[in-house]
Amino acid sequence: MVPERETPPRERAASGATAASRTRARLDQPRPPRRRLLPEWDPESFGRLSERVARFLGTGRFIVWMTVVIILWVVWNVSAPNSLRFDQYPFIFLTLMLSLQASYAAPLILLAQNRQDDRDRVNLEQDRKQNERSIADTEYLTREIAALRIGLGEVATRDWIRSELQDVIKDLEERHDGHHPERGVFPADRSARRDVHDR
């Protein structure tokens, strides 16, 4: 068996010193933000700006302003002296500016549409949940009304109590007048007496 080689104390101390001198990351504190080469922006504010631009591009005011600018551009470059013209007849610079405007307008409009789709999706989800709650509430109320109707079928109604009281009053009046001395006041009394006589 080959004996293990021991590390000299000086090497152990050196390695321990480098470990101790290293800065350890603290787990109880958030890390400081790293610097980035690219500029940072808030996507929410950029989305709101794109929606504003897309709304403006979809208005008649934008079309009128763009038409006025194009007409002034063409008139100036046709009728102005040659030394003051900045875009000659094929109007290449005007075409470039319109292409640049269209290349920025299309992504901004798409971004605004995506944000609107996200909002519509959230609204549809909330409407679906609200509809489910409404359906559940309606079914619960339907079951409760059905249970109340079943329960009311077994409860004595006002008309039934009135008819029973009228029958009892008639029986009392007849008994008081002496027409039917054997009839009882209540139906239970009448049935018991009838059973006694039947025996």
Side-chain angles (χ1 to χ4, degrees), residues 120-130:
D120 290 343
R121 192 176 302 113
V122 170
N123 288 337
L124 285 174
E125 185 67 22
Q126 289 177 350
D127 290 344
R128 188 182 63 80
K129 289 180 181 177
Q130 183 67 32

Side-chain angles (χ1 to χ4, degrees), residues 11 30-31 33 38 43 60 68 71 80 86 94 109 114 120 128 136 138 153 159 167 186-188 190:
E11 288 181 14
R31 286 180 133 181
L38 297 175
V68 167
I71 289 172
F86 55 89
L94 175 63
I109 291 171
N114 289 339
D120 290 343
R128 188 182 63 80
T138 305
D159 294 335
D167 289 343
F186 297 105
R190 289 187 300 225

Side-chain angles (χ1 to χ4, degrees), residues 128-141:
R128 188 182 63 80
K129 289 180 181 177
Q130 183 67 32
N131 288 339
E132 287 177 357
R133 284 195 295 267
S134 298
I135 289 171
D137 291 343
T138 305
E139 289 177 354
Y140 172 75
L141 289 175

Side-chain angles (χ1 to χ4, degrees), residues 9 30 37 44 66 92 95 109 114 137 148 196:
L37 298 176
E44 190 65 27
M66 192 173 71
I92 296 172
T95 306
I109 291 171
N114 289 339
D137 291 343
L148 285 175
V196 168

